[in-house]
Amino acid sequence: MKRRATLAALALSAMVLPSTANAKPAAPDISPLATFGGLGSGSTIGPGGALYVTDGNAGSIDRIDPKTGAVSTYADGLPTQILGIGGAMDVAFVGSTAYVLVTLVGGDIVGVGSFGDDIVGIYRLENDGSFTVIADLGAWAEANPPDSDIRYFITTGVHYSLETFRNGFLVTDGHHNRVLHVTRDGHISDMVSFGNIVPTGLETSGATVYVAQTGPVPHPPEVGKVVSFTAQSSTATDVAAGASMIVDVEMGRGHQLYALSQGDWDEAGGEGGPAFPNTGRLMRVEDDGTMTAVVDGQGNEIVLDRPTSLEFRGTTAYVVSLTGTVYTIKNI
C-alpha cells in the first residue's frame, strides 16, 4: 500500500509540474495613475515609497501615492517656468531632505537679451517649507562657458536631471553638453564634457554613471544613446544606441537598464522642442548594445505620450509625461 501511495504521489507530481512550468508570467500593461498640474519633468521614489514629481508650471513638488494615485502638494514656492519649459526640473532626496533642480528662470539669450531674475541652481527644502539655494548653477555656467566648439545661446545652460552621487549630486546640462558634480555645500565642478549630443537623464550603479543622450537635431534613432563613465573617467563609453530622443535611463529589477525614448522630434517646436505626441517608447537595453521596445501581452510596443522621466519600484515602471500625467507599466 505504501508503494502504491508513493507511485500515486509521483504520478500526481508529474501531472502538476508541467502546468506550473508552462505558466506564463503576466505581460507588461500600461495604465494612467495620476494627473497633476502640468509640465511634468523629473521624478524620484522618495520617503514612504511614494513618487515625487516636479511641476514647472506651479513651481511645486507633488507627492503621488503609488497605490491610489492620490496627488498632494509636498512643497511649493519655487520659481516657475517663463519660457514654456524649465522651472522645477528634477527632484532628489538625501534621507528625508528634498533637493530640487531649477533651470531656465534667469540668464541671457545671446543676441536677444536677459530673461528672468531668479537663480538657476539646486534648491534645498527646509523644515519650515522654504527653500535655500545651495548651488548657483547659472552663475557657474556664465563664469565657465562650454568649449568654443559647443554652440549655445543661453548663458546659464539648460539643466535636466539631478541624481545623488558621492555625498553630492550629478547634474546634466543638456545645452552646454556636460555632466556636473555638485557637493552639498555648493562646490561645482565639470565631471565629463561632450560634443553636441544633449545629455539628459542620469542613473548610477556603484561608481558607474549612466547618461541618456538625445543626440543632435533632428535626433534620429542612431544617435540616441546611453553612455557610461566613472568618477575616474574623463570620457564616456557607449553602452547602447537605437532610439530617438532618449530622455532618461534607469535600472530596473535585476540590474536591467532601460532607456526612455520621447519619440520622433517635432521640428516645428524648434531646437529643444519635444517629440510628437504618442511616439515615445520604453526601451530595454540589450547586452549587444541595441535597444528593444517593451511590448504588451499582444506583442505590441507600448506607446508613450512625450515621456520625460522614468522610475522603477519592483516590477513596476512609473513614467512621467510632459502633460503632467503619470503612467504605470506593470509586470516589467
Side-chain angles (χ1 to χ4, degrees):
M1 293 294 293
K2 186 179 293 187
R3 175 179 169 79
R4 289 182 180 178
T6 301
L7 290 173
L10 288 173
L12 181 60
S13 298
M15 293 171 61
V16 171
L17 285 175
S19 62
T20 303
N22 292 332
K24 292 183 179 180
D29 176 61
I30 185 170
S31 60
L33 173 68
T35 300
F36 56 100
L39 197 61
S41 183
S43 62
T44 191
I45 302 295
L51 182 70
Y52 294 79
V53 298
T54 55
D55 185 342
N57 283 339
S60 66
I61 305 300
D62 292 338
R63 181 188 185 276
I64 299 176
D65 188 306
K67 295 181 179 179
T68 66
V71 180
S72 58
T73 301
Y74 184 73
D76 57 13
L78 291 160
T80 56
Q81 64 85 13
I82 55 179
L83 296 177
I85 57 174
M89 285 293 288
D90 204 2
V91 56
F93 281 87
V94 177
S96 60
T97 302
Y99 293 80
V100 186
L101 178 64
V102 176
T103 195
L104 286 178
V105 294
D108 290 287
I109 300 176
V110 177
V112 176
S114 62
F115 64 95
D117 54 8
D118 285 306
I119 295 175
V120 170
I122 299 176
Y123 289 60
R124 182 181 64 221
L125 178 62
E126 308 294 357
N127 290 332
D128 64 358
S130 65
F131 283 95
T132 300
V133 177
I134 67 157
D136 190 332
L137 299 174
W140 187 89
E142 290 180 321
N144 300 271
D147 293 339
S148 58
D149 60 339
I150 299 296
R151 189 182 71 82
Y152 71 96
F153 51 87
I154 297 176
T155 58
T156 48
V158 180
H159 306 88
Y160 192 87
S161 184
L162 178 69
E163 184 82 11
T164 57
F165 186 73
R166 294 197 169 185
N167 297 316
F169 305 93
L170 297 173
V171 175
T172 52
D173 184 339
H175 188 51
H176 291 180
N177 289 279
R178 52 194 176 190
V179 177
L180 308 176
H181 182 258
V182 184
T183 64
R184 276 186 264 169
D185 60 3
H187 176 73
I188 305 168
S189 59
D190 187 345
M191 282 196 75
V192 175
S193 293
F194 303 98
N196 287 298
I197 50 74
V198 193
T200 50
L202 290 165
E203 174 66 299
T204 61
S205 178
T208 302
V209 179
Y210 296 94
V211 185
Q213 299 178 349
T214 69
V217 293
H219 311 298
E222 57 268 23
V223 301
K225 294 182 179 181
V226 172
V227 302
S228 69
F229 65 90
T230 67
Q232 290 73 41
S233 306
S234 58
T235 59
T237 301
D238 288 355
V239 175
S244 54
M245 292 192 72
I246 298 178
V247 293
D248 205 358
V249 55
E250 291 293 331
M251 194 165 284
R253 197 169 189 176
H255 287 57
Q256 173 63 52
L257 273 179
Y258 292 86
L260 189 63
S261 167
Q262 193 173 91
D264 302 327
W265 179 56
D266 182 0
E267 188 175 355
E271 184 176 345
F276 284 107
N278 301 308
T279 59
R281 301 289 191 276
L282 177 59
M283 309 296 293
R284 178 186 173 100
V285 174
E286 306 293 358
D287 293 337
D288 62 0
T290 61
M291 298 184 190
T292 305
V294 173
V295 299
D296 61 19
Q298 286 71 49
N300 300 314
E301 295 181 0
I302 291 176
V303 177
L304 303 171
D305 181 15
R306 289 161 292 178
T308 58
S309 182
L310 171 68
E311 303 295 334
F312 278 94
R313 188 182 183 201
T315 59
T316 298
Y318 297 88
V319 179
V320 180
S321 169
L322 185 66
T323 61
T325 300
V326 178
Y327 298 91
T328 59
I329 305 177
K330 296 182 178 179
N331 309 316
I332 296 292

